[in-house]
Amino acid sequence: MVTRLRHLLLLVVPVLAGAADGPSLGCGCDPGVGSVIDNDGDGSGATIDCDDANPAVHPGAEEHCDGVDEDCDGEVDEDSVDRATFYEDLDGDGWGGETTVEDCEAPDGFVEQAGDCDELDDSIHPGAPEVCCDEVDQDCDGEMDEGCAGDLVLLGETTEAYAGEVLAAVGDLDGDGFEDLAIGAPDAPEGAHGGRGKVYVFSGGAGLAPGQEILLQDEAEIFAALGDGLGYALTGLGDLDGDGFDDMAMGAPWAGSAGFEDGLVLIAYGPVSGVIGDGFGDGLITGGQDHAGFGWSVAGVGDLTGDGQRDLAVGSPYFDHITDREGIISVFSGAVEWEQSASEAALTITGSQVSRSVGHGLAGPGDHDGDGQADLLFSYEMWDNGGKVGLLGGPAQGSVAIEDVTLYLSTCSTTAELGVALSWAGDVNIDGYDDFVVGAPGDEGGAVYLFHGPITAPGACDQAAVTLSGSVEDGRLGDAVVADLDADGDGWPDLAAGAAQGWRDPCDHGAGAAYLWLGPFEGGYEDDSADRVFVGNGAVEKLGWAMAAADLDGDGLDDLAIGTPGTDVFNENEGAVWIALGGSL
């Protein structure tokens, strides 16, 4: 009996030992007799599990958008828990309307972006540029024609002042830590000393916000009238006198004693504040020749002369008017005292009877050839051959004849007015050379040309890397240009241009328009392709006559100032400046 029991135990023990090393038995019975093998432990046996090595795959599992049949029903990704919603895009603009489907991938004719308020018009969708004065909500935000005006308005103070004819970013002139804006009103009524013209300096600050309407006489520092045409030209100079504060220059091309109207330039050394009366000026340069137009244009040009000091360039396009209006550019090195003469210039560029009106426009500083030296951009022949633009490479001193300035751009036509507006643009294409922008408002709707540096030989408008074309006949796109600004903070330079006679129906003829293109850009653009469009509110408002850019509110984004010298809110042609804050562009 004992012997038989021992034999039975010997038979049982090997079976149990083998069970420990083999597959699990669903019922604890002999394999093949009602047992289920589940290799991945997901609760579904190999006979019904379509992937018994993956515990996420088994009958009843959730489907995901991964191309795997998780629930073993022979279909892939159906009713996936992570499927997305797609919107039908009937007009192909990349934005969908109200009809939706849920799937892992967008079916044909469906897109991810929703919010299109007109599925039959591809120019209408969220983010689309708002077309002004057409009473259509292009960007689908529930408002029509918004963004066609500035965020805040600076209003002129006196009848027939036409404030906003000239604008310039002048750095931090009052020393409060915010950039400032100079506003010229060269036609403002006569002051106590009989001269027309006035200059305002609007001080930037953190409190600037949309919806404000600010009277210049209440909020801005004022340089009062002391010469005919004061404010006809304005420029920031940086720290010209080396005292740690930014400075500025103001041109008065028709000022002069005893009716000679030789012109003058006033220098204001920062910090400045309060209301400045007649006779103000820290530095003064007089033209010295009757009707020369000294101060017609001014520009801070860096160290053009190469002597280690900042320089000021002054244009006199009527110089030698008796011998056919040849023109001259005078460059003064370092701090300007009271009183200096144009004859004390460290550098002059003189015109000729063939190449005339030298000094009509000026822009600086820039470095188109990448040699580390400041270069001067200027325009001439404005009234003769449709305009030319010259480039003088620094350093330069003494006297230079226009014939010796070999780098120039000629116009595409005799009516283009090439060089009415000039602006350095920084290094737009990031190739180590500064680029520049030239306005040519005289032809058809006007045009703006962007040229990449370096310029190594004379050329023409059709060699521009970027061309902006006006679509409004006689709209004068290019009356003003602003480059080397970054309004949206993406690190790419942006470009703005004014068309003082531009308008958009049903806006009034001559109301003016201004356009902003956000970089990067290349090739050709029409004005209606701009990322932001501003239009004047009434006839002859001349919005876009002048423009400038500065970070007035200190948020790190450039704000765009647009002059509207024909504004007459009080029916007095007092003029105004619209400010579009960078955060809204």
Side-chain angles (χ1 to χ4, degrees):
M1 185 69 177
V2 172
T3 300
R4 292 181 62 190
L5 180 60
R6 181 180 297 128
H7 284 297
L8 289 172
L9 290 171
L10 290 173
L11 291 171
V12 171
V13 169
V15 171
L16 293 175
D21 296 329
S24 62
L25 305 180
C27 59
C29 307
D30 187 7
V33 184
S35 65
V36 178
I37 298 175
D38 182 10
N39 287 311
D40 55 13
D42 60 7
S44 296
T47 57
I48 60 174
D49 195 334
C50 54
D51 186 349
D52 204 29
N54 186 350
V57 177
H58 56 81
E62 291 183 338
E63 281 283 341
H64 294 81
C65 293
D66 55 7
V68 176
D69 178 16
E70 277 105 344
D71 59 4
C72 298
D73 64 352
E75 299 182 40
V76 175
D77 296 345
E78 82 284 359
D79 298 327
S80 299
V81 295
D82 57 350
R83 64 188 184 276
T85 300
F86 298 97
Y87 305 85
E88 189 173 20
D89 180 15
L90 294 176
D91 54 14
D93 60 7
W95 295 82
E98 296 181 355
T99 302
T100 65
V101 296
E102 293 186 350
D103 209 334
C104 290
E105 295 182 358
D108 288 343
F110 285 77
V111 295
E112 294 182 0
Q113 300 182 108
D116 198 334
C117 53
D118 188 339
E119 266 299 286
L120 300 179
D121 189 335
D122 61 4
S123 69
I124 298 177
H125 55 78
E130 193 73 23
V131 176
C132 300
C133 301
D134 64 353
E135 298 184 354
V136 175
D137 179 17
Q138 271 86 9
D139 58 5
C140 297
D141 65 352
E143 300 181 36
M144 295 185 298
D145 299 338
E146 82 282 1
C148 297
D151 295 314
L152 62 147
V153 179
L154 313 177
L155 287 174
E157 62 168 328
T158 59
T159 301
E160 307 296 325
Y162 298 104
E165 285 191 54
V166 183
L167 299 173
V170 292
D172 182 13
L173 193 63
D174 56 5
D176 66 352
F178 292 91
E179 295 183 14
D180 303 325
L181 175 71
I183 302 165
D187 292 317
E190 296 180 0
H193 293 270
R196 296 182 64 86
K198 187 171 289 189
V199 176
Y200 308 86
V201 177
F202 180 74
S203 177
L208 301 181
Q212 292 177 298
E213 189 172 278
I214 300 171
L215 297 178
L216 286 175
Q217 69 266 33
D218 293 337
E219 300 291 338
E221 288 82 20
I222 300 174
F223 299 96
L226 52 77
D228 280 323
L230 180 69
Y232 189 85
L234 301 169
T235 188
L237 299 172
D239 183 10
L240 189 68
D241 60 352
D243 66 351
F245 295 97
D246 289 331
D247 312 313
M248 69 174 289
M250 303 165 279
W254 298 288
S257 60
F260 285 110
E261 299 181 0
D262 51 352
L264 60 82
V265 172
L266 281 172
I267 311 298
Y269 293 122
V272 298
S273 62
V275 178
I276 311 299
D278 287 351
F280 166 78
D282 295 312
L284 172 68
I285 311 173
T286 56
Q289 186 186 84
D290 182 19
H291 300 293
F294 184 80
W296 179 283
S297 58
V298 293
V301 292
D303 183 15
L304 180 65
T305 56
D307 63 357
Q309 301 185 82
R310 291 178 180 268
D311 301 331
L312 163 67
V314 181
S316 308
Y318 290 101
F319 186 83
D320 269 352
H321 67 284
I322 297 176
T323 57
D324 216 4
R325 203 180 55 226
E326 296 172 357
I328 189 171
I329 299 170
S330 306
V331 180
F332 302 87
S333 177
V336 174
E337 300 177 354
W338 189 296
E339 158 180 347
Q340 291 184 215
S341 167
S343 62
E344 300 178 56
L347 166 67
T348 58
I349 305 170
T350 57
S352 67
Q353 291 189 26
V354 176
S355 298
R356 301 180 295 179
S357 66
V358 168
H360 182 278
L362 297 170
D367 181 12
H368 86 100
D369 53 6
D371 65 354
Q373 297 288 333
D375 304 325
L376 175 65
L377 189 68
F378 62 94
S379 59
Y380 61 107
E381 292 194 14
M382 193 58 55
W383 301 290
D384 301 287
N385 298 311
K388 286 186 178 180
V389 174
L391 266 169
L392 177 67
Q397 295 187 18
S399 180
V400 177
I402 189 63
E403 289 79 11
D404 296 329
V405 180
T406 57
L407 300 183
Y408 69 87
L409 301 167
S410 60
T411 186
C412 296
S413 79
T414 59
T415 59
E417 299 178 41
L418 185 73
V420 161
L422 303 168
S423 176
W424 288 96
D427 186 5
V428 171
N429 57 341
I430 315 178
D431 64 351
Y433 303 97
D434 282 349
D435 310 314
F436 59 89
V437 175
V438 181
D443 279 346
E444 300 179 354
V448 174
Y449 302 100
L450 185 148
F451 295 90
H452 290 322
I455 302 295
T456 58
C461 301
D462 56 8
Q463 296 178 351
V466 177
T467 299
L468 311 176
S469 301
S471 62
V472 178
E473 186 176 359
D474 298 325
R476 296 191 59 84
L477 181 70
D479 270 328
V481 294
V482 178
D484 197 18
L485 76 154
D486 185 5
D488 56 358
D490 65 354
W492 288 97
D494 306 322
L495 175 61
Q501 301 234 115
W503 76 99
R504 288 174 177 245
D505 291 336
C507 290
D508 292 318
H509 177 87
Y515 306 87
L516 173 68
W517 288 265
L518 301 176
F521 30 70
E522 61 180 354
Y525 299 85
E526 294 288 330
D527 52 14
D528 57 8
S529 71
D531 295 284
R532 183 86 183 263
V533 180
F534 308 86
V535 296
N537 292 321
V540 297
E541 192 166 31
K542 298 189 182 301
L543 182 137
W545 184 281
M547 302 179 75
D551 182 13
L552 297 172
D553 56 1
D555 64 353
L557 302 174
D558 287 323
D559 309 312
L560 185 62
I562 308 169
T564 64
T567 293
D568 57 352
V569 173
F570 305 114
N571 297 316
E572 296 177 341
N573 292 316
E574 64 275 5
V577 179
W578 290 5
I579 306 293
L581 298 173
S584 68
L585 298 175

